Amino acid sequence: MRIIYRIILFSFLLLLSVILIIRIPGVQTYIAGKITSYVNQKTGFKSEITYLNINWFDEIIVEGLEIRDEQDSLMASIRRLDADLDFKALINDKSIELNQLVIENGLVHLIKHPNTPDINLALFLRSLGSSGANQQTKGNSGIKIGEIILADIGLYYDNFDKPYRDLTIDPSHVKLHKIVGNLSEIAGFKDTISANINSLSCGFSTNLIRLN
């Protein structure tokens, strides 16, 4: 009986120690560096995180997230991102599941560069999702998000294979401003994403035309 009690006590103290260590700012900076290094090596893109806060394993706050594509064009710049992580799914299913994701004050720039097969975000997700032989043995890997809340987000799209048009609506060069929205049941695998749009509002502009 004493052995069982000691094992339980040791496990609890070990878990508590890990939680306290993760809360140390220096350790979180180290983790942020490891994450960005992994993403950069996996995708060939350049990512940076100014601030990372991991709270009890399942609450993650990221500030100052920036991602540049292989042509060094800014693909994403997010001031603050709050994620409520389903840690159990990560351990059991090895899949990324979030109960909620809040994205505040950011810009996403989708770019189709000349002599590239797809837009930068699709290339990024495809590279990040590829895992060789491991991907074939684990068919349920991917990402699922219960809810996404968008607050003051910009979404730009530029296809640089197409020239700009003057005084017309240009589908190859579009800007959406101040996006505010709520999405649910988001699922993604590689470069395929599905979601239910519960509410969405934004401003729109293309070349010389702007609508709010």
Side-chain angles (χ1 to χ4, degrees):
M1 192 66 181
R2 288 183 177 179
I3 295 178
I4 296 176
Y5 172 76
R6 289 177 180 176
I7 292 175
I8 295 175
L9 179 60
F10 174 77
S11 300
F12 173 77
L13 292 177
L14 179 61
L15 178 62
L16 181 61
S17 298
V18 171
I19 292 174
L20 293 176
I21 290 173
I22 289 179
R23 295 286 295 161
I24 298 175
V27 174
Q28 297 194 354
T29 301
Y30 173 80
I31 294 173
K34 284 294 184 180
I35 292 174
T36 55
S37 178
Y38 170 80
V39 172
N40 295 346
Q41 184 177 7
K42 185 80 171 176
T43 64
F45 287 47
K46 298 177 183 178
S47 60
E48 294 182 358
I49 296 175
T50 302
Y51 172 80
L52 175 69
N53 185 3
I54 302 173
N55 187 17
W56 299 103
F57 292 105
D58 60 348
E59 294 181 17
I60 301 175
I61 298 174
V62 176
E63 293 184 358
L65 172 63
E66 182 174 296
I67 303 175
R68 291 185 172 273
D69 62 25
E70 293 178 300
Q71 282 69 33
D72 201 34
S73 297
L74 182 65
M75 185 185 75
S77 177
I78 307 298
R79 187 186 70 82
R80 182 183 174 97
L81 186 152
D82 292 30
D84 182 5
L85 177 66
D86 189 338
F87 191 72
K88 185 187 298 183
L90 182 63
I91 296 299
N92 296 336
D93 302 330
K94 296 183 178 179
S95 62
I96 301 175
E97 296 191 16
L98 304 177
N99 298 317
Q100 186 183 71
L101 180 64
V102 181
I103 306 175
E104 300 178 9
N105 301 106
L107 171 66
V108 177
H109 194 175
L110 308 179
I111 303 175
K112 169 62 174 69
H113 290 284
N115 302 318
T116 58
D118 214 332
I119 60 174
N120 52 6
L121 180 60
L123 297 175
F124 177 79
L125 294 176
R126 191 176 300 145
S127 299
L128 193 61
S130 63
S131 55
N134 293 333
Q135 186 176 336
Q136 298 176 359
T137 60
K138 196 66 178 178
N140 62 339
S141 62
I143 182 168
K144 295 180 180 178
I145 306 175
E147 181 185 32
I148 292 181
I149 298 175
L150 303 174
D152 195 11
I153 303 299
L155 178 62
Y156 296 176
Y157 169 72
D158 284 301
N159 183 349
F160 290 123
D161 286 331
K162 305 289 185 180
Y164 283 92
R165 298 180 183 179
D166 294 331
L167 301 177
T168 61
I169 294 179
D170 187 351
S172 299
H173 304 278
V174 177
K175 294 181 180 180
L176 301 179
H177 310 274
K178 296 186 178 298
I179 298 175
V180 176
N182 181 285
L183 290 73
S184 62
E185 298 181 18
I186 302 95
F189 181 74
K190 290 188 179 180
D191 55 349
T192 301
I193 300 175
S194 63
N196 294 331
I197 300 177
N198 302 319
S199 63
L200 188 66
S201 65
C202 65
F204 166 82
S205 65
T206 172
N207 205 1
L208 300 179
I209 301 175
R210 182 183 182 103
L211 300 174
N212 292 315

